Amino acid sequence: MNYLKYHLLAVLVTLFVAGSFISSEKLSGVINPFSLTLLRFVIAAAALLPFVLIKVQYRKEIIKALPRSLIMSLFFAIFFICMFEALKTTTPLNTGTLYTLVPFLTALFSIFVFKERITKKMLLVYLIGSAGTCWVIFGGDIKALLAFSLNSGDALFLAGCIAMVCFSISMKLLYRGDQMFVIVFCTLVGGALWMLLALLIFNQPLQWHLLQSNLWLHMGYLALFATLASTLIIQKTTVILGPKKVMAYIYLSPVFVAFLMFFIEGKSIPYIVVPGMLLSLTATIVLQFQAQSNAIKNHMMAATD
């Protein structure tokens, strides 16, 4: 099987996620995070609905896929809630830094769930990747890095990062050969149901009318690209490549944020962050080759048993 296209798709998802940090910051604090996340899931599910209803086979699979999707969507929804809520008391700088822990946490969780190992070499590469992203985020300013401290928003987003790891692991664990449109649609519907339940429990209003026209553009991006397109791609690439390989591309997220800020808001990329970008890129490539090498070794060992 040609895995190149799946790696390219994983890079595309990373680009979508990088853009979501910018849009989420614009929306954070306008209305409550339960309502924002509900709207995000509703728009994405509505966009996918015609493609699911068009085939009888897809419609029949919904009932079978929905229970597993409810588990996956719970983790997915928790991540988005934590991100929106955390950005009220912390900054994209801090959340971007904490998000680089996701690849390492995914590898750590994979030890217990999939019996995978983390070698000393891979651990070093994870640290190099984190160092590279921190370099980019803090602009090579050592004083700013040393001044970094966790607040309540950071702790909340860290919980969201763990939820994202669980979402990635659960996709691989609960996949049963489902049609991708069906499993993604059920995940989006499940996320909307969890958010609706949260609104009722915490007695929160929708307040969708508070979104201005420019904010609807950001919501549209989050729903159609950072949620719908990303979920479709993540589901497919995680099943094919595995969660560790897909999550390793997160190290490129700050690099993409820097380029997006350059193209969208005209903010220049300082030369001081270039070494950090190269470190992040190197760590991502090494992790991909190392994971591929381990997969081949495991396959050969299984064949000889």
Side-chain angles (χ1 to χ4, degrees), residues 230-304:
S230 293
T231 308
L232 282 167
I233 296 171
I234 287 175
Q235 289 276 3
K236 187 65 175 179
T237 54
T238 300
V239 169
I240 300 297
L241 301 177
K244 281 205 305 185
K245 287 184 180 181
V246 176
M247 291 296 106
Y249 283 108
I250 284 175
Y251 287 129
L252 298 180
S253 184
V255 178
F256 287 145
V257 170
F259 278 104
L260 287 173
M261 294 296 285
F262 173 75
F263 287 110
I264 296 173
E265 299 185 0
K267 294 185 178 180
S268 60
I269 302 174
Y271 291 113
I272 188 66
V273 305
V274 174
M277 292 181 175
L278 294 176
L279 278 177
S280 298
L281 180 60
T282 301
T284 303
I285 294 173
V286 172
L287 283 173
Q288 296 301 329
F289 278 107
Q290 187 66 33
Q292 183 65 30
S293 176
N294 289 341
I296 293 173
K297 288 180 181 178
N298 293 336
H299 180 74
M300 292 178 64
M301 290 175 62
T304 57

Side-chain angles (χ1 to χ4, degrees), residues 40-73:
R40 184 174 183 167
F41 283 131
V42 167
I43 294 174
L48 190 58
L49 181 61
F51 299 96
V52 175
L53 295 181
I54 198 169
K55 287 191 176 182
V56 177
Q57 180 185 355
Y58 288 178
R59 298 198 297 269
K60 289 181 178 179
E61 288 188 12
I62 290 176
I63 296 178
K64 182 180 69 174
L66 191 57
R68 286 175 285 116
S69 297
L70 283 171
I71 298 174
M72 292 185 286
S73 62

Side-chain angles (χ1 to χ4, degrees), residues 143-305:
K143 291 182 179 179
L145 177 60
L146 294 176
F148 176 76
S149 59
L150 292 176
N151 56 39
S152 59
D154 296 324
L156 184 60
F157 187 72
L158 184 58
C161 289
I162 294 174
M164 176 55 74
V165 173
C166 293
F167 173 62
S168 179
I169 294 290
S170 65
M171 281 191 296
K172 179 74 173 180
L173 202 60
L174 298 176
Y175 182 70
R176 300 290 184 273
D178 310 276
Q179 292 290 338
M180 203 55 59
F181 279 173
V182 175
I183 196 70
V184 169
F185 175 75
C186 290
T187 300
L188 296 172
V189 170
L193 291 175
W194 286 119
M195 290 305 96
L196 185 59
L197 180 62
L199 282 172
L200 294 174
I201 292 175
F202 294 98
N203 194 27
Q204 295 288 328
L206 285 177
Q207 298 180 320
W208 292 349
H209 65 281
L210 295 179
L211 294 178
Q212 303 293 330
S213 57
N214 61 318
L215 294 180
W216 276 104
L217 292 175
H218 288 287
M219 177 54 71
Y221 172 80
L222 290 178
L224 299 179
F225 292 92
T227 302
L228 177 55
S230 293
T231 308
L232 282 167
I233 296 171
I234 287 175
Q235 289 276 3
K236 187 65 175 179
T237 54
T238 300
V239 169
I240 300 297
L241 301 177
K244 281 205 305 185
K245 287 184 180 181
V246 176
M247 291 296 106
Y249 283 108
I250 284 175
Y251 287 129
L252 298 180
S253 184
V255 178
F256 287 145
V257 170
F259 278 104
L260 287 173
M261 294 296 285
F262 173 75
F263 287 110
I264 296 173
E265 299 185 0
K267 294 185 178 180
S268 60
I269 302 174
Y271 291 113
I272 188 66
V273 305
V274 174
M277 292 181 175
L278 294 176
L279 278 177
S280 298
L281 180 60
T282 301
T284 303
I285 294 173
V286 172
L287 283 173
Q288 296 301 329
F289 278 107
Q290 187 66 33
Q292 183 65 30
S293 176
N294 289 341
I296 293 173
K297 288 180 181 178
N298 293 336
H299 180 74
M300 292 178 64
M301 290 175 62
T304 57
D305 288 342

